Amino acid sequence: MKRLLCTLGLCCIIIQLFPQQASFKEKVAQHFARIWHHSPQEKIYLHTDKHAYSAGEIIWLKAYLINATTHQPSTKSNYVYVELLDSITRVTHRVKLRRTGAGAYGSISLANDVKPGEYTLRAYTYWMQNAGASFFFHKKLNIGNLIDTREVVENPEHTSTAYTSTKEEFDIQFFPESGNYFTGDIQLIAFKAIGTDGLAEEVSGTVYNQQDEEITSFASSHRGMGRFALTAQPGDRFYARVSTGSGLTKRIDLPAPAENGIGLHLSHNRGKINFRVINRTELPIDSLNLMIHLRGEVILISGLSSYTGQLPDRFLPAGVASFSIIDASARVWCERLFFSRNMDEAVVSMTADRPEYLQRSPVELSFTIQKQDSTPLPGSYSLSITDQFHVKKDSLNDDIRSYLLLSSDLKGYIEQPQEYLSDHSALTREKTDLLMMTQGWSRFATAAIARAEFPPQEYYMEIGQATSGKVHNLFNKPVKGNDVMLLSSYKQQIRFSKTDSLGQYYFDGIEFPDSTNLIVKAMSKTKLVDVEVIPDEEKFPASPTHLPVALFGRQPVNHNYLLVSREKYYTEGGMTVINLDEVTIDAEKPTDSTDSYYAGIADSKLDAKRLEDYQGMRVMDILSMLPGVEVDGEQVSIRGSGGNPLFVIDGIQTDHIEDIIYLNVTDVEEILLYKGASAAIFGSQGGNGAIAFTLKKGYEARSLAPPSLVYTTPLGFQKPTEFYVPRYEVDSILQQTKRDLRTTVYWNPELIPDSTGQVTVNFYTADNPNDYTVEVEGLGHNGTICRYRGSIKRK
């Protein structure tokens, strides 16, 4: 809110300086401010314990969920979806994480027979689907497998996908600076070339005019990108002959120069941002404005008095800024992206209690996390400590700084994004500016926002969990005003609702972890004709992702790491995977409690194993074994109730005691007891509780669940598991001969400093005498980015 007030305050100052345009500038500023209030975009960054894994391991992760403009944890979504996609973009794992504070944390367990190859971690909120899948978080992972005997090889070259260049085609695009190219003026044309794998292709070429005269030559200077100057006269047309290093050549027509329009040129020199405006319209200069916004936050709207000028770069916060020329009717004529490097990062220091450590030694690390002014920086942070020899530095994916400041605000894949923030040298600035000119679309549509054109929000902000569906009658028509009840096996939650005019029901304000059984019961208005409950199907984004393939052939899984991971897996009791010949098994499916559509919410039960001890007895003789059930002759009651309970035999309800008097234990697979809240699923008939009997197969044909009752298990939130750290202070554990082969030595997703900015962690070293890499990532509550990388010495 402070940043919003500052932004509006700046706009007010500008309006006072230019009173003739006050109304226009105020409206534009309000349009941008609206996206903070009505449709605030969100970002997610995933910090994982490492970037390469072995079969049988766990991917530990922390999701940072923030406002896309302020980078503060002010967004209202409370659930994060994390998916693992294989090399052909199939979802192999999907978990739902519940937010706590600035983020959410959890894990994904890899099976021992997971197929090795390249995988992608994808994370998003339900609300983020409004911005499109291009702005989901994506991270490439490489997974190896020496456990599955079908995949075991001893040649390190075959432990991961080997990269072989098979580029037989390439694509190149040309981008006039600020999107417009005019006659009569020298302008910059940038270009970017990629291969069929989506990765950069280095190229060179020559530009010709329509008379086939050579005009200029060019060559890519960084990852397939480059630029050259070109001047066009009226009637000129240009094309380029472009060649790759492997000899592929193609002809490409350049964008045709225009006679009318407005363009913008930017350059940076010694702390100044220089701009030059090209006006090829009849609009007077005093009707044009320079507008600058950063992640949708308006920094400046200023009327032009000259077509050239300069601004100090220190007034721009770090990140992707948009420079545009806008007229008094809110029309944006051109736009140029610029990357600002005014980093305001956390200052992190680490102190170890010893200079180096032996195996299985206790380690105490103290961290101090502060602002630039040395005051404490409260926030949320995560810590990963890994074996430096086996877990190499990740050079392909974003770290938290490069993702939040760069990649997350641009569409398309950026190769090795960390290098653009490695330093502030002129060469790095040049590489980054090429990226700004060629990467294309940004997260915030400047022209549309200025005109107050906001896309419809089809997806809601998931503050709490919900479930919905519809109720139809016998003729498949919606039933209006029908009572619907929801019963959850988690905390025995009960909710009531009514269908609307379209027969839709909706339950919100509920909470349930994964694998929770939900039962929805529609109360029919007549006993003669039942109604049907149809739950809404859970919908998730389409699987394909924009990341290129064959990335990790250039950074394969360390073979020694896979060997150690395999040994660790077997040492800890993992089972060997053996590929057997195909066999066919003929057998009948055993009956168990999961076959009953309401078994998951029973208060207590007598299962098949317990009933085996009472074969030959009558059911009436053992009902009193259920807690609270009393049997007196041929009368059955549940303590606290005012009458006979409801009996349910294979889904068929009855209140006649005669239906169970002659029922033998030999014929019964399971007995379930419902009392209190759980019995509400049977409606008024369950007011005195209910006892359900599941009969063995062959006794009598099993009935189907009534259409007015459905049993579902939607995706619930994951209950986080704690990272295991051995406690070698216990002699019996210290003297164990089983080797400690941890490659992730310590993981802490909730590193919370105290009021002085300090936090201390304790753990024990593993057996391998390799140095450790210490990595801290996170965000201050004010949006300040925290990134620290250190090391621990072993001996």
Side-chain angles (χ1 to χ4, degrees), residues 59 83-86 90-93 110 119-121 141 143:
I59 301 172
E83 298 167 341
L84 184 65
L85 286 69
D86 64 15
R90 293 178 305 188
V91 177
T92 64
H93 298 74
L110 300 176
Y119 287 74
T120 300
L121 268 181
L141 300 180
I143 298 176

Side-chain angles (χ1 to χ4, degrees), residues 387-405:
D387 185 306
Q388 198 170 99
F389 176 76
H390 294 298
V391 181
K392 305 300 182 181
K393 182 180 179 181
D394 184 5
S395 62
L396 294 178
N397 290 298
D398 281 286
D399 60 20
I400 191 170
R401 183 177 66 165
S402 65
Y403 182 75
L404 294 184
L405 297 181

Side-chain angles (χ1 to χ4, degrees), residues 274 411 433 569 588:
N274 303 295
K411 281 188 177 180
D433 203 45
Y569 175 80
E588 293 183 352

Side-chain angles (χ1 to χ4, degrees), residues 353-354 357-358 360-364 763-765:
D353 61 335
R354 301 179 193 176
Y357 298 87
L358 296 170
R360 303 191 180 189
S361 296
V363 180
E364 182 173 287
F763 61 95
Y764 285 84
T765 60

Side-chain angles (χ1 to χ4, degrees), residues 707-728:
S708 59
L709 184 147
V710 295
Y711 179 101
T712 64
T713 308
L715 181 65
F717 63 84
Q718 183 186 72
K719 291 183 177 180
T721 56
E722 186 176 354
F723 181 84
Y724 172 71
V725 179
R727 300 294 182 184
Y728 288 128

